[in-house]
Structures are given as structure tokens and as C-alpha cells.
Amino acid sequence: MDKLLVHGPCKLNGTVKISRAKNAYLPILAAVLLSDKKIHLKNIPELQDIKTMIKLLQNLGVTVTKNGNITTFDASTLNSHEATYDLVKTMRASIFVLGPLLARLKKAKVSLPGGCAIGTRPIDIHLTNLEKMGCVIHLTGGYVEASVPKMKAAHLLLSFPSVGATENLMMAAVFAEGTTTIDNAALEPEIDDLAHFINAMGGNVKGIGTKKIEVTGVKELKEATYEAIGDRIEAATYLMAALATGSDVRIEEVDPAHLEFVTELLKKMGAKIETGANYIKVEKSVLKGCHVDTAPFPGFPTDAQAQLIALCTQVKGSSVISENIFENRFMHVPELIRLGAAITLKGKSAFIEGEAKLSSAPIMCTDLRASAALIIAALCATGTTEIQRVYHLDRGYENLVDKLKTLGANVERIK
Ligand code: UD1
């Protein structure tokens, strides 16, 4: 298994280009199943989760060809409605194929994703609302088996603004006769992106960017070309790495509006941040602690909580960060403590003392974003930190080592 060696402390300097968002492309790839016309997607990031989703599409019969930075998907060859356990168990986002398979084939058999490192993550909101659209669902042998004689437009009210459920239901409604309303929909930018993609394919989604999304069924879709938004969580990670290491970094190809809560919080902490149409520039700053709760968009993203904790170990004063989205999302904390951080966990809050003198230790990645926090801390720590289980990072950070090296970090990956 590969390891990362971070020879710290490191200063970063220069420009980093952000990849297209994993969490935008995962549902967009699933939505490819809706169409029997060719779909051309630009700059799909080379990430393990994306490879898993593409493999899942190929297993379902989709033909995939790559030409330069454009990958073409032809789902006219779709010949299966079954997403098997061997792929689904490695990536929860496989559940995204449920809605489009039901919309296109009127049947789907998708393995239940099960729990994951950060929490139990049920899919009840996906399933109860699909039932409201006329789907008949049975859970048998670890699989969701669903069929629908005719998908019905319906008024859906989500009990929580689940990102995945909003996306799955939006895709399920693309051909349903009439208008489906998804009330209390999630507001994350990746949802807007999926809606824009569905519209680019000839679908009819309105209320984009609001809590009430309306999907009016269409008879057929058309050939389309699309490129997803920049990855706001990757950008937040580089932003916090720059601030933690007292560096000047320009982060390009991301929409700063997608990170407004994060940049406003960091500015209140003392960060010198400038934003433009497609970039965020950060300068070496003296920061103080913060009190923040993770929340659905436009609040502070749970996917940047671990990285913020790592940053808060380096600021002046103490911080309190509470996790409200997932029940078990502090696995980075014991690893950060191994590097010398002073953090106490109480219930869903982490209490962090700043100005910790971090020094190297062998540490281990536990999930994707926890791993990003460990990299930030290792960049601040004195000595060589060995980070194990880097496959977690491969799920969500494209060219991480190269990007960090371009910024001047002394980082290497060893087999
Ligand atoms: C998506 C993101 C993930 C991010 C999360 C919250 C993708 C591929 N993943 O995950 O990176 O951390 O949004 O921003 O886009 N819930 C239920 N029942 C359901 C669905 C969700 O109880 O049917 C709960 C979950 O257990 C969790 C909360 O709702 O506690 C939020 O989950 P959700 O918004 O659905 O996140 P995901 O779509 O899984």
C-alpha cells in the first residue's frame, strides 16, 4: 500500500488549479443513464470514486470512449438494471443510479450501500419519495429492488435536505408525466450543476438554486456536452493548507460564491483573502480561533470540517467546531493529537487549542476529508510525517502530490 511522506514544515507558494468537482460529476455520470443519445463530459477528474462510477456504468452496458479531455458516454447500449454489491460497497454514491434506472428502464436492483466510516447514512429519504412517485420497493438480500409501472409526477417534501436524495429524485422525475416538485431540496452547488446538466440534455428543471425544485417530465433527451463546476471542497482544502502554513497561494478555476461561508468565516478569523470571478487568493495572515457549526449549504460544509480543525490547531486562541451532519466525523482528531494537537471531543463538538507545535509521527487516513486534515497538519509539523492508507485521498483529490509539489511542498508518495 502506498504511503505519503511529508517533510515539514513546508511553506506553499504559487498557483493551484482546482479540478472539476467529484460530487458534481458522480450524479452527472449517473444521469447519463437517462439518455439514449451520446453525452460528452469534459475534464472528468481522475479519481477512484469517478473510476468506480464509470465501471458501474460499463457494467450496466454503457459504452465509454475517451478522446483527450472529453469522455463520451453512450447509454443506448444499456442492457442491465443491476448495480452489484462488489462496486456499491466501495462507494455509497452508487445509489445515484437508482433514480435514472427507474426513469429509463422502470426497474432497478441496486445493492444497499451499508454504513460508512463517518456514519450510518440511511437512504430512507430516497426510497420513501420514490414510493410517492409510484415505485414499488422491496429490500431483499441486501438489495433495493424497485420497479414502477409508470413514473408519476408528485409533490415531494424532504424531511431533511439530503443532497443525494434531491439528486436521485430529480433524475427519477425527468420523464414523469407532469411536474414533480421537490420541496425542502438541498441547495448545494452540485445540485444546481446536475439540474443544468439535465437541462443541457433536454430535460426541464426549474427552481434551480432554490429549496423548491420543479421537474417537468419530457418525452426524450438529446445529445449534450457538459463540464462540471470546480471542486469547492478541494479549493477549501488548499485554502486552509495555505493559511495553516502561513503561505501566499492563488486558487484558480473555482467559483468563490460556492465557498462564501468558508471565506467569510476565514476573513473573520483574520485571513487576507481576495476573490475574483474564478479564483481565491490568500496571503499569509495572523488568525484567531472560531466557533462554527457544520450545516447544509449555504452553511459551513461538513466536508471541510476536518481541514478547518487542522487549521485551528495553528491559530491564536481556542476554537469550537461542531459537526451537525454526520454522527461519526471526528476520526481525524486522534491522528491530529498524535502529531501534537490539543483537541478535546465532547459530543458533537471539538474544542481546539491553537498554536500547537506539531511534530512528525506515523499517522493513518480514515476517510477522505479526514485525510486532507492530516496532510494540512503534516505540512505544519516538524520532521517527516508518514501518512498511511492514502487510498482514501485517491478517492477525492486529483494529482494531490503534484499539486502540492508545484506549490513548493516537500511531499513524496512511496510504494
Ligand atoms: C453528499 C456528499 C458528501 C457530503 C454530504 C453532505 C456526494 C457524493 N456526497 O453526501 O460528500 O458530506 O452530501 O453535504 O455528493 N440522510 C438520511 N436519510 C437519507 C439521506 C440522508 O437520514 O435518505 C442523512 C445522512 O445520514 C446524513 C445527512 O442526512 O446524516 C446528510 O446526508 P446527505 O445530504 O444525503 O449526504 P450524501 O448525499 O450522502
Side-chain angles (χ1 to χ4, degrees):
M1 254 189 268
D2 290 11
K3 292 176 193 171
L4 280 190
L5 297 183
V6 181
H7 308 286
C10 301
K11 279 260 182 274
L12 308 178
N13 185 34
T15 298
V16 61
K17 286 194 192 315
I18 296 305
S19 300
R20 302 304 85 201
K22 165 181 88 76
N23 284 357
Y25 261 136
L26 286 172
I28 287 173
L29 284 166
V32 158
L33 292 168
L34 289 166
S35 183
D36 58 359
K37 310 291 187 321
K38 286 192 174 148
I39 304 295
H40 314 280
L41 299 178
K42 283 192 197 163
N43 292 319
I44 298 180
E46 294 259 343
L47 297 170
Q48 195 49 51
D49 278 8
I50 296 285
K51 286 182 195 156
T52 306
M53 184 58 96
I54 292 177
K55 195 159 173 218
L56 178 51
L57 296 183
Q58 287 172 316
N59 281 1
L60 293 167
V62 178
T63 309
V64 183
T65 47
K66 196 166 180 208
N67 189 359
N69 67 344
I70 298 192
T71 313
T72 297
F73 297 84
D74 180 354
S76 66
T77 49
L78 181 67
N79 57 23
S80 165
H81 66 282
E82 188 171 334
T84 52
Y85 179 63
D86 53 330
L87 283 178
V88 177
K89 72 173 184 212
T90 65
M91 187 186 64
R92 289 186 46 83
S94 314
I95 196 67
F96 287 149
V97 301
L98 185 60
L101 283 176
L102 282 165
R104 173 101 184 267
L105 300 177
K106 300 189 167 25
K107 58 182 177 177
K109 183 174 174 189
V110 180
S111 172
L112 276 165
C116 81
I118 59 175
T120 47
R121 300 180 83 172
I123 53 164
D124 54 309
I125 304 171
H126 303 235
L127 301 186
T128 51
N129 286 291
L130 284 171
E131 281 171 341
K132 285 191 193 145
M133 299 177 77
C135 299
V136 180
I137 297 175
H138 297 288
L139 302 182
T140 38
Y143 278 80
V144 181
E145 285 199 57
S147 61
V148 60
K150 188 172 184 223
M151 194 72 84
K152 289 190 305 200
H155 176 249
L156 312 175
L157 175 60
L158 309 194
S159 55
F160 179 86
S162 154
V163 175
T166 305
E167 293 167 336
N168 228 337
L169 296 166
M170 214 160 48
M171 294 187 278
V174 163
F175 301 121
E177 206 177 290
T179 298
T180 299
T181 47
I182 307 172
D183 233 325
N184 197 27
L187 293 169
E188 271 68 4
E190 292 76 18
I191 289 174
D192 300 2
D193 213 27
L194 175 64
H196 288 304
F197 172 62
I198 291 174
N199 287 348
M201 288 198 295
N204 183 354
V205 184
K206 295 205 174 83
I208 300 174
T210 76
K211 290 195 83 58
K212 190 172 187 171
I213 293 176
E214 293 181 344
V215 187
T216 302
V218 294
K219 292 253 179 307
E220 59 174 354
L221 298 176
K222 58 181 188 196
E223 190 165 344
T225 300
Y226 198 78
E227 180 170 10
I229 53 172
D231 194 316
R232 63 193 168 102
I233 303 301
E234 187 194 13
T237 304
Y238 285 104
L239 186 55
M240 292 186 204
L243 286 166
T245 53
S247 307
D248 297 346
V249 172
R250 185 180 162 99
I251 299 157
E252 288 187 347
E253 298 185 16
V254 64
D255 184 346
H258 297 164
L259 276 172
E260 203 175 336
F261 197 103
V262 175
T263 48
E264 286 307 310
L265 172 80
L266 294 171
K267 281 184 196 168
K268 273 186 221 139
M269 292 167 72
K272 293 179 205 153
I273 293 177
E274 177 195 313
T275 55
N278 214 11
Y279 74 87
I280 301 171
K281 202 174 134 204
V282 60
E283 274 177 37
K284 179 177 171 157
S285 319
V286 177
L287 301 189
K288 59 179 196 281
C290 66
H291 279 47
V292 71
D293 287 20
T294 63
F297 193 84
F300 190 87
T302 172
D303 285 353
Q305 174 259 101
Q307 300 90 314
L308 180 64
I309 290 188
L311 168 61
C312 287
T313 67
Q314 299 303 297
V315 305
K316 283 186 186 297
S318 54
S319 302
V320 184
I321 300 174
S322 301
E323 172 57 50
N324 290 318
I325 307 294
F326 292 109
E327 69 263 35
N328 186 26
R329 208 172 195 181
F330 284 128
M331 278 174 306
H332 39 289
V333 168
E335 301 298 308
L336 293 174
I337 291 172
R338 285 175 55 75
L339 294 175
I343 308 172
T344 316
L345 291 178
K346 265 191 213 137
K348 57 184 191 173
S349 300
F351 298 80
I352 308 131
E353 292 305 323
E355 297 181 281
K357 299 261 175 287
L358 303 183
S359 59
S360 59
I363 48 174
M364 204 163 67
C365 298
T366 49
D367 70 66
L368 172 57
R369 304 305 169 185
S371 316
L374 301 191
I375 301 271
I376 294 174
L379 290 169
C380 301
T382 311
T384 297
T385 300
E386 185 181 300
I387 306 180
Q388 292 174 18
R389 299 198 181 168
V390 292
Y391 55 83
H392 287 290
L393 284 161
D394 298 336
R395 291 186 42 218
Y397 287 93
E398 192 178 39
N399 298 331
L400 175 78
V401 169
D402 288 345
K403 286 185 184 183
L404 285 172
K405 277 186 175 165
T406 306
L407 291 173
N410 191 351
V411 183
E412 57 183 319
R413 182 169 179 143
I414 52 168
K415 293 272 172 208

